[in-house]
Amino acid sequence: MSDKPSVLFVCVHNAGRSQMAAGWLRHLAGDTVEVRSAGSEPASQINPVAVEAMREVGIDITANTPRKLDYETAEASDVLITMGCGDVCPVFPGKRYLDWKFDDPAGQGIDAVRPIRDAIKVRVEQLLTELPVKTRTATSWERVSR
């Protein structure tokens, strides 16, 4: 691992689940984790209902744009988390892979997206307890409980 662990969230359109997960991780981990997201078939924009759901909890994901999953990004990530994208994610030895199953927020209203957002937060919080991150005063890798 590099100075800080890197996490890549991958879903089909990189417009809902992976963007919300990346938003949560950035919010909860600050600059202790490098956060990436991508999609196997990226949409032209982030799902506006996902943006609204995250805004409700004080997280702004409007500056993000869906991007295509590429080999280099996957290879450079320490943890790859798939969220309903099937077998499109390349496999590299020594990487940690997780598959998080969440309903797709595409075409859903805010009442359906809120529980997805909240479930993603729970998974991200658990992930943070498992990632080695450097604290500002630490001289070696430590697990930071949140």
Side-chain angles (χ1 to χ4, degrees), residues 15-31:
R17 294 167 288 192
S18 57
Q19 292 288 352
M20 288 191 290
W24 276 120
L25 186 55
R26 283 185 189 100
H27 178 75
L28 295 170
D31 65 357

Side-chain angles (χ1 to χ4, degrees), residues 56-78:
E56 289 180 349
V57 294
I59 300 172
D60 183 3
I61 60 172
T62 58
N64 302 347
T65 56
R67 63 181 301 241
K68 178 94 172 136
L69 174 64
D70 62 60
Y71 182 90
E72 293 78 21
T73 301
E75 183 179 36
S77 299
D78 298 311

Side-chain angles (χ1 to χ4, degrees), residues 15-21 24 46-57 61 102-121:
R17 294 167 288 192
S18 57
Q19 292 288 352
M20 288 191 290
W24 276 120
I46 295 181
N47 179 333
V49 181
V51 170
E52 178 184 351
M54 294 301 285
R55 185 178 292 126
E56 289 180 349
V57 294
I61 60 172
F102 296 108
D103 290 337
D104 189 347
Q108 303 290 329
I110 190 69
D111 289 335
V113 175
R114 284 183 186 120
I116 299 167
R117 172 201 65 202
D118 297 343
I120 290 171
K121 178 186 181 192

Side-chain angles (χ1 to χ4, degrees), residues 91-105:
V91 176
F92 299 96
K95 305 290 181 187
R96 181 174 177 201
Y97 290 88
L98 300 170
D99 185 37
W100 292 355
K101 304 228 185 283
F102 296 108
D103 290 337
D104 189 347

